[in-house]
Amino acid sequence: MTTDALPTTSLGRALVHAPGTPDAAWWRDAVIYQVYPRSFADASGDGIGDLAGITARLDHLADLGVDAVWLSPFYRSPQADAGYDVADYRQVDPLFGTLDDFDAMLDRAHRLGLRVIVDLVPNHTSDEHVWFAEALAAGPGSAARERYLFRAGRGVDGAEPPNNWQSIFGGPAWTRLPDGEWYLHLFDSRQPDLNWEHPEVRAEFEDVLRFWLDRGVDGFRVDVAHGMVKAPGLPDWAGHVSMIEGVDDVSPTDPVDRADEVTGSGNQGPMFDQDGVHEIYRAWNRVLRQYDGDRAMVAEAWVEPLSRLARYVRSDEAQQAFNFAFLAAGWDPAALRDVVTSSYGVNDAVGAPTTWVLSNHDVVRHASRFGLSTPTARPNGIGRADEQPDEALGLRRARAATLLMLALPGSAYLYQGEELGLPDHTTLDDTYRQDPAFFRTGGAERGRDGCRVPLPWSAGEPAFGFSPSGVTWLPQPAAYAAYAVDAQRGVPGSTLETYRAALAARRSEGLGTGGLEWLEELDGGDVVAFRNRDVLVVANLGSAPVELPADAAVLLASVDVERDATGGLVLPADATVWLRAGA
Ligand code: NOJ
């Protein structure tokens, strides 16, 4: 046990981020809840979640205390990549309902005080998009093929792909057509990449933005935000492309622009993070500014180092970018401290809010990751034959990580079900898998289905209340009963009530627009400790208990905070506490 029982008032502080003004634009400090429509709530009974299901459950989100909702794609799509393969950007897929259902959902959300952002998927379309159908029909050399990246092959008879790029889902990034030409797809072969040098492509997406802005959405989450522009000539590149791993360069020592430090590792190949992509954000920023109400974009850009990522949130580009370096920091106090310091350094330099995220529909949920012997950023799905997480340890650490995250100034993203402490389905039978990454890697990557399992709402109902018919598109583990909303609501100390309390305190204490100072005598080693306004936050990532300042009062904790023999407050292992500083 440490003996750092200094009174809160005499703790030294190192300023990292100065407080902002409480009346800042909503996206500067919003807590944004990701709804993955096919797994949130199913009103129709077909086993797949839908817009009417979301509308019916929006009260849960208002009650939880989030500020906004981000919806993953619900557009017309053959669902080759769960809707990230869009066939019509202006239509709702019948699986999810109709445009009227969308309007009703949006209206209900706004009435509840929730903003709504929708997904924009501009890097690629579905192979069932009308443009791709036209391109296939028109043949080599046609104007219709100019909207995509069609090329002749290399080698004898053009039988080799035009370059050596690999798909992020495994296998080559090129597919050959019977007429001999190849087309590029950074993801599945059913997701052809668009040619962003084509003026029609640019005009079309500005129009798509307007379509949804006119309907009243508050903003967009931009998919593969760093991918649209490719290096001229599409040169060979031997590096490895991935979604989230590799975002690990977060040195706090040099938060200035290190654009010349591109090493060719990570996600810095010729298909990603090209300078030309920023012109697209400037154009979209101009579109958003034509609307009232602080509409916003968040860039899903897996870019390193963080100084490169900050270029996406310059004042005339996107409002936010996901901070995957935080998600990737694992259960490592030094890495967390570094990423927090670095993030404020680079984002403050461009006047943008820093964002925080621990889980989404592409990674193993943090309650499962933190239960692994090595809680890495992105084990690409967990299968039956893999190491199984320690469920209790994972949940305990997940709650601690969440309390740390929700005390940080900026905007935070929650993934549906994390407020329940939900783990992944880690023993899913392979016969149920749908993620193209599983099939394109021959099962080497288990894929992302484990974090996409339908939510449990009521422990005693069929499909745990997800669907009135009891049907679910992926099976739910029996253990989900204990995580159901109705098993936790009103239960003191439950994960749901802890999230609710944290969101309420975050709001009442002004933490989202607050500042961050490391607490010098407490922070260090296994302990991450900082002050934000009048709240002291102490996270113990080690195995030994930590003595807390004698004069502090507990506001909130991820576990019960104990008292030692002398009556002093003690924070056990794998736990976070929010304390009120002494007067
Ligand atoms: C990122 C999305 O989050 C992921 O789910 C999708 O598979 C790829 N982009 C391709 O659109």
Side-chain angles (χ1 to χ4, degrees):
M1 185 179 297
T2 69
T3 51
D4 286 325
L6 285 171
T8 52
T9 40
S10 56
L11 292 171
R13 310 184 205 167
L15 179 70
V16 171
H17 171 75
T21 49
D23 57 350
W26 69 273
W27 42 265
R28 289 195 170 269
D29 65 338
V31 175
I32 302 175
Y33 182 101
Q34 180 187 0
V35 167
Y36 192 66
R38 54 172 43 233
S39 299
F40 188 69
D42 172 24
S44 72
D46 66 356
I48 300 180
D50 45 40
L51 291 168
I54 297 170
T55 307
R57 296 286 191 183
L58 282 174
D59 286 359
H60 168 71
L61 303 185
D63 188 53
L64 183 60
V66 301
D67 302 294
V69 178
W70 148 37
L71 263 66
S72 280
F74 48 81
Y75 314 111
R76 201 165 72 70
S77 161
Q79 306 289 319
D81 182 23
Y84 281 96
D85 49 318
V86 180
D88 186 337
Y89 290 86
R90 297 177 185 79
Q91 273 303 332
V92 172
D93 194 279
L95 270 182
F96 301 115
T98 63
L99 276 172
D100 284 346
D101 292 332
F102 177 82
D103 291 341
M105 186 278 304
L106 187 62
D107 183 59
R108 175 81 187 134
H110 283 163
R111 281 172 196 273
L112 288 169
L114 298 167
R115 307 208 184 228
V116 176
I117 67 175
V118 296
D119 227 298
L120 184 76
V121 188
N123 180 68
H124 44 264
T125 69
S126 159
D127 63 342
E128 293 189 13
H129 191 281
V130 62
W131 279 358
F132 198 69
E134 279 173 28
L136 293 190
S142 62
R145 290 207 174 180
E146 291 294 312
R147 297 188 190 113
Y148 292 89
L149 293 163
F150 284 89
R151 294 288 184 277
R154 297 201 284 208
V156 181
D157 296 330
E160 301 296 323
N163 70 22
N164 68 353
W165 297 1
Q166 296 295 298
S167 155
I168 286 148
F169 291 160
W174 295 90
T175 289
R176 195 176 198 192
L177 295 168
D179 60 34
E181 272 204 332
W182 298 76
Y183 68 89
L184 179 72
H185 51 87
L186 290 182
F187 294 88
D188 190 65
S189 56
R190 301 199 58 189
Q191 294 167 294
D193 276 46
L194 285 163
N195 171 18
W196 273 86
E197 306 306 329
H198 198 302
E200 263 184 63
V201 172
R202 294 196 181 221
E204 167 68 0
F205 276 88
E206 290 188 23
D207 198 62
V208 169
L209 288 179
R210 288 200 179 89
F211 178 86
W212 292 102
L213 289 166
D214 288 340
R215 290 200 105 78
V217 303
D218 298 284
F220 301 89
R221 174 269 191 188
V222 183
D223 188 63
V224 201
H226 58 320
M228 286 94 91
V229 174
K230 277 80 178 176
L234 311 182
D236 276 344
W237 185 67
H240 171 67
V241 284
S242 63
M243 280 205 256
I244 283 170
E245 68 193 350
V247 187
D248 57 4
D249 180 358
V250 293
S251 162
T253 52
D254 183 15
V256 295
D257 196 334
R258 291 182 293 174
D260 53 350
E261 238 186 72
V262 173
T263 60
S265 65
N267 285 317
Q268 294 156 332
M271 67 291 287
F272 283 145
D273 195 27
Q274 301 296 304
D275 285 346
V277 82
H278 295 285
E279 190 41 48
I280 299 171
Y281 292 104
R282 289 188 196 106
W284 290 355
N285 184 295
R286 289 192 289 273
V287 173
L288 263 59
R289 269 191 278 133
Q290 289 162 9
Y291 290 79
D292 60 354
D294 287 327
R295 318 281 174 119
M297 286 180 279
V298 55
E300 189 233 10
W302 330 306
V303 167
E304 60 176 353
L306 284 169
S307 53
R308 288 286 299 184
L309 183 60
R311 292 157 53 102
Y312 290 77
V313 289
R314 289 176 288 195
S315 61
D316 58 349
E317 300 197 31
Q319 283 67 27
Q320 297 184 340
F322 288 116
N323 190 342
F324 293 128
F326 180 71
L327 186 154
W331 194 245
D332 176 339
L336 281 170
R337 207 175 287 121
D338 281 0
V339 75
V340 168
T341 302
S342 258
S343 299
Y344 288 119
V346 298
N347 289 314
D348 287 354
V350 293
T354 292
T355 69
W356 308 104
V357 61
L358 287 165
S359 285
N360 66 30
H361 66 294
D362 289 330
V363 298
V364 172
R365 288 175 176 278
H366 63 291
S368 293
R369 285 201 316 270
F370 291 148
L372 293 172
S373 50
T374 310
T376 52
R378 184 177 180 250
N380 202 331
I382 298 174
R384 277 191 173 160
D386 301 322
E387 178 199 346
Q388 292 297 303
D390 175 333
E391 195 173 326
L393 177 67
L395 178 57
R396 182 180 173 103
R397 288 179 167 175
R399 290 165 52 117
T402 297
L403 281 199
L404 188 153
M405 174 174 88
L406 290 177
L408 291 167
S411 175
Y413 280 82
L414 306 179
Y415 176 48
Q416 64 177 37
E418 71 165 88
E419 77 279 21
L420 308 175
L422 211 60
D424 266 33
H425 193 328
T426 58
T427 55
L428 186 68
D429 194 285
D430 285 349
T431 54
Y432 293 109
R433 294 200 184 277
Q434 300 204 12
D435 184 352
F438 174 77
F439 298 101
R440 291 186 62 90
T441 60
E445 292 197 2
R446 311 285 182 250
R448 301 161 291 175
D449 297 303
C451 67
R452 299 176 174 182
V453 173
L455 290 192
W457 293 93
S458 356
E461 287 182 30
F464 302 133
F466 167 73
S467 165
S469 65
V471 178
T472 58
W473 71 280
L474 285 174
Q476 299 161 302
Y480 271 25
Y483 294 92
V485 173
D486 73 347
Q488 299 196 45
R489 189 180 286 133
V491 177
S494 68
T495 304
L496 177 59
E497 292 303 334
T498 304
Y499 267 72
R500 243 156 55 88
L503 291 171
R506 179 187 155 89
R507 191 183 294 252
S508 62
E509 300 292 328
L511 301 185
T513 56
L516 186 128
E517 297 168 297
W518 293 125
L519 291 172
E520 286 170 337
E521 290 84 2
L522 282 174
D523 185 63
D526 290 333
V527 175
V528 176
F530 59 89
R531 179 171 180 145
N532 179 354
R533 299 199 192 271
D534 292 332
V535 178
L536 308 188
V537 179
V538 185
N540 179 7
L541 284 75
S543 50
V546 169
E547 201 170 334
L548 295 168
D551 61 335
V554 175
L555 270 177
L556 198 64
S558 63
V559 295
D560 285 340
V561 174
E562 298 149 13
R563 289 198 179 269
D564 63 14
T566 62
L569 282 175
V570 172
L571 182 64
D574 297 318
T576 297
V577 64
W578 294 8
L579 303 168
R580 157 97 48 226

